[in-house]
Amino acid sequence: MKFSNIAVLVILLLPMFGCDEKATGVNSQAGVTSTPAKELSPEESFAKLQREAEAGDADAQLDLGVMYAKGEGVSKDAVKAVEWFQKAEAQGDAMAQYNLGWMYDNGEGVPKNAVKAVEWYQKAAAQGAARAQYNLGLMYAKGEGIPKDAVKAVEWYQKAAAQGEARAQYRLGWMYAKGEGIPKDAVKAVEWYQKAAAQGDANAQYNLGLMYNRGEGVPKDAAKEVEWYQKAAEQGHAQAQFILGVMYNIGRGVPKNATKAVEWIQKAAAQGLDGAQFSLGEHYYEGDGVSKDWVRAYAWYNLASAQGDYPLYFSEQYRENRDSLEKKLTPVQRAEGQRLSSNWKKGDTMLAGSTQGVESADGKPSKQNTGTAFAVSIDGYALTNHHVINGCTEVKVAGREGVAKVITSDSVNDLALLQLPDKSVDIAKLNPDPGKLRQGEDIIVFGYPLNFVLSSGGNLTPGTLSALTGLGNNTNQLQITAPIQPGSSGSPVMDKKGNVVGLVSMKLDDGKMAKATGQVGQNVNFAVNGQTVRAFLDANKVPYKTGGGFFSHEKSNADIADEARKWTVLVECWK
């Protein structure tokens, strides 16, 4: 099954996410800290707090309990924490009661006891402690320490939500969406999700995306859907990362971009989400948004098949794809894929290292190396290095369908002109007067170095224009200090206004330098200069734009990166 087909089904079948995350553990009273206002040493602060606690100050007793529970300023000791919470609770301190409930709920300093946890949560909740009200709602929702009662759960969520407790707002929205303990009401669900999402609750943000996807409580809106997935995904929400990847893959709510799809799906796969692992395997199998790599595809299929948390249909699909690919692999490839999957642990993206040396099982061209290119014309013309495309059977652009056509190349100046598979909306602007560059000017390089390890969204490296000539005083080159790595070749070298002043060509070979001189060069890198680039484009009758003008101004590195990302691409040499 193609990824695009299964991706649509995943969007339709993914449930509302209802994580029962307890309110975080031990806490002081609002506005009370464990450190006195006066500047004291940690030892003096602790001694002062202990004296106040022993004198019967409830706030000090609570704070001392928090310090012992968290191991802040003192060795962590859950038993002592409980002792001090009990002293503060005896004086009616609500947060101490909540903390005692949490300690019983989690079995810290006391035996785990859900009934006791509920008892303390109830005391604190009755005094208006929002965290206790929220946790009490969870206990009723799950039937822990008290009979399961969705109506009671809603009642306590409402009390906590009214005080601004984000997780309670999220859970209340979830109850409205499901119609549990309260009449089903999508509009109310959205209302509470929005309150929680505005406070940064990732679950609420993710579920808001689902509501916009389904048109429940709000009109269907793919762009809004993506906006909320993005917010949750950036906080590490695995399901949101996966669906955001799906959206990029099918071009829903965002421009279709297989490279961005892989970037997000990879994050979810690394968290152990089996649907994302399977999807990532599909991308590696097809070479969609990432270099085709059947070994890694097999490894990700293996991991997804070992879990199978999705409905039976998907579990069978995982195994079918794995078994089908397994038959196409050589024994060496199969063993390597099994090694990768067996060594996998949570957080592993399988990016380190390379399986490119393993022969292609299907007998077709395989990716040999990568470089960077940048668009210079709305007709899709782009520049890279001659050595990037030299000898390639095919030149592909990561994340785009089709192949790039090599129009011409210049081996002497190390330039190549490509015709990208599609037209370019955004293009680079060349420096209007490259002859006026000065030694020592700041430059910025943006490209795709070490793409199998570093960010698939591109890398920015600042540097300095260290010389106006290159190797052997070559007047067609510039010398720059920006670090250059494999894959940097063809990257645009820009000035502080974002105008292209050169094109990365090569770095000084450290091994040869050391052998010849006994010294290793530090950041000695070269670029084809802007005059040579313009002459090459002029000779091939390629129109291009230059910067400058009345509105020209220096930009931040972040702004330059945002702009360059739109017109730079990762190119792959397949042989």
Side-chain angles (χ1 to χ4, degrees):
M1 174 183 274
K2 292 286 187 182
F3 173 80
S4 57
N5 295 330
I6 196 169
V8 175
L9 289 173
V10 167
I11 284 183
L12 295 175
L13 291 174
L14 271 176
M16 289 287 182
F17 190 71
C19 177
D20 294 330
E21 181 186 352
K22 291 277 173 66
T24 49
V26 292
N27 282 275
S28 299
Q29 297 280 15
V32 178
T33 67
S34 300
T35 305
K38 183 182 177 182
E39 284 294 331
L40 300 173
S41 70
E43 294 78 11
E44 290 173 330
S45 297
F46 179 76
K48 181 175 185 296
L49 190 64
Q50 190 162 31
R51 287 195 302 271
E52 292 171 350
E54 289 171 347
D57 186 297
D59 287 345
Q61 291 168 342
L62 171 65
D63 283 359
L64 196 57
V66 170
M67 291 178 73
Y68 274 114
K70 294 183 176 181
E72 293 179 351
V74 67
S75 297
K76 189 172 182 178
D77 190 329
V79 174
K80 278 193 173 294
V82 168
E83 289 177 7
W84 285 110
F85 290 150
Q86 287 172 331
K87 292 179 187 293
E89 178 283 322
Q91 298 190 63
D93 189 286
M95 193 53 68
Q97 293 167 343
Y98 160 73
N99 286 344
L100 278 172
W102 193 91
M103 300 296 269
Y104 274 109
D105 201 357
N106 292 274
E108 293 196 9
V110 288
K112 190 169 184 174
N113 188 323
V115 174
K116 279 282 190 185
V118 167
E119 178 184 327
W120 287 112
Y121 285 152
Q122 285 175 324
K123 290 181 184 224
Q127 292 198 67
R131 290 187 182 93
Q133 292 169 340
Y134 165 64
N135 277 7
L136 189 55
L138 283 181
M139 302 299 268
Y140 272 112
K142 296 193 291 183
E144 290 184 356
I146 202 165
K148 191 172 184 177
D149 189 329
V151 174
K152 279 285 188 184
V154 168
E155 179 184 325
W156 286 110
Y157 289 150
Q158 286 173 324
K159 291 179 185 293
Q163 294 194 67
E165 172 61 47
R167 282 162 294 196
Q169 292 170 340
Y170 156 67
R171 289 295 303 178
L172 189 55
W174 194 85
M175 300 296 267
Y176 271 115
K178 293 293 183 182
E180 290 190 10
I182 201 166
K184 190 171 183 177
D185 188 330
V187 174
K188 281 284 188 184
V190 167
E191 179 184 325
W192 285 109
Y193 283 153
Q194 287 173 329
K195 290 178 186 291
Q199 294 194 65
D201 188 280
N203 290 331
Q205 292 167 344
Y206 168 71
N207 278 2
L208 263 180
L210 291 179
M211 299 299 271
Y212 277 107
N213 168 264
R214 297 166 179 168
E216 295 181 358
V218 287
K220 279 191 175 187
D221 188 328
K224 278 285 187 185
E225 181 185 354
V226 167
E227 179 185 328
W228 287 112
Y229 292 151
Q230 178 96 27
K231 290 178 187 292
E234 287 171 352
Q235 294 194 68
H237 194 290
Q239 286 86 352
Q241 291 170 339
F242 179 28
I243 285 202
L244 185 57
V246 170
M247 302 295 272
Y248 274 109
N249 194 70
I250 63 178
R252 176 181 166 85
V254 286
K256 190 172 182 179
N257 187 322
T259 303
K260 292 293 284 184
V262 168
E263 183 178 326
W264 285 110
I265 292 169
Q266 201 163 56
K267 292 177 188 293
Q271 291 199 61
L273 194 66
D274 61 336
Q277 292 173 337
F278 173 78
S279 299
L280 189 55
E282 287 281 84
H283 278 279
Y284 273 115
Y285 180 81
E286 299 286 348
D288 186 22
V290 68
S291 302
K292 183 181 288 189
D293 189 331
W294 282 11
V295 174
R296 283 197 172 87
Y298 178 61
W300 285 115
Y301 285 158
N302 258 340
L303 289 170
S305 301
Q307 296 188 71
D309 293 337
Y310 270 92
L312 181 61
Y313 171 80
F314 290 115
S315 300
E316 290 178 351
Q317 187 69 49
Y318 299 162
R319 291 189 289 271
E320 285 177 14
N321 282 42
R322 178 198 62 192
D323 296 345
S324 174
L325 178 55
E326 187 174 73
K327 295 173 184 176
K328 300 177 182 179
L329 299 177
T330 66
V332 172
Q333 290 174 318
R334 192 160 50 247
E336 176 63 10
Q338 290 169 350
R339 183 192 69 79
L340 286 173
S341 54
S342 63
N343 290 341
W344 181 87
K345 59 184 180 298
K346 196 169 183 180
D348 184 6
T349 60
M350 290 194 204
L351 287 179
S354 174
T355 61
Q356 290 180 28
V358 183
E359 74 278 10
S360 173
D362 58 2
K364 296 179 180 179
S366 61
K367 188 185 79 170
Q368 298 299 311
N369 56 271
T370 65
T372 302
F374 59 93
V376 294
S377 165
I378 59 173
D379 295 322
Y381 289 109
L383 286 174
T384 189
N385 293 127
H386 167 78
H387 76 260
V388 169
I389 55 86
N390 188 34
C392 304
T393 303
E394 291 181 340
V395 177
K396 296 184 179 181
V397 179
R400 300 193 189 185
E401 297 179 0
V403 297
K405 182 181 178 181
V406 179
I407 303 300
T408 187
S409 65
D410 177 352
S411 60
V412 175
N413 291 309
D414 198 20
L415 290 170
L417 180 64
L418 304 179
Q419 175 73 65
L420 301 179
D422 46 21
K423 292 189 176 183
S424 303
V425 176
D426 298 292
I427 61 174
K429 291 181 180 179
L430 306 189
N431 183 289
D433 197 347
K436 290 187 177 180
L437 286 179
R438 300 174 63 199
Q439 186 178 25
E441 286 189 27
D442 291 334
I443 52 94
I444 301 98
V445 173
F446 187 89
Y448 298 88
L450 299 172
N451 189 251
F452 64 90
V453 174
L454 302 181
S455 169
S456 60
N459 284 79
L460 178 143
T461 52
T464 302
L465 184 58
S466 51
L468 298 177
T469 57
L471 193 62
N473 285 321
N474 187 337
T475 57
N476 291 332
Q477 293 179 334
L478 301 170
Q479 184 179 327
I480 60 176
T481 63
I484 301 302
Q485 308 293 343
S488 293
S489 296
S491 298
V493 180
M494 296 166 283
D495 60 22
K496 291 296 289 181
K497 294 181 179 180
N499 298 321
V500 175
V501 300
L503 180 147
V504 170
S505 179
M506 62 179 174
K507 64 179 293 183
L508 199 62
D509 188 297
D510 292 345
K512 292 180 179 178
M513 179 71 172
K515 187 175 180 180
T517 68
Q519 304 291 327
V520 176
Q522 297 292 319
N523 286 340
V524 181
N525 308 305
F526 302 100
V528 182
N529 66 29
Q531 290 170 317
T532 306
V533 167
R534 292 178 64 167
F536 178 72
L537 292 174
D538 290 338
N540 289 284
K541 297 180 171 56
V542 176
Y544 54 86
K545 288 186 177 181
T546 58
F550 182 77
F551 296 103
S552 180
H553 63 278
E554 291 193 359
K555 303 171 185 176
S556 68
N557 286 358
D559 287 340
I560 290 174
D562 286 342
E563 291 179 5
R565 192 176 293 111
K566 297 175 182 177
W567 41 262
T568 55
V569 295
L570 171 68
V571 290
E572 304 169 344
C573 176
W574 290 66
K575 297 181 182 180

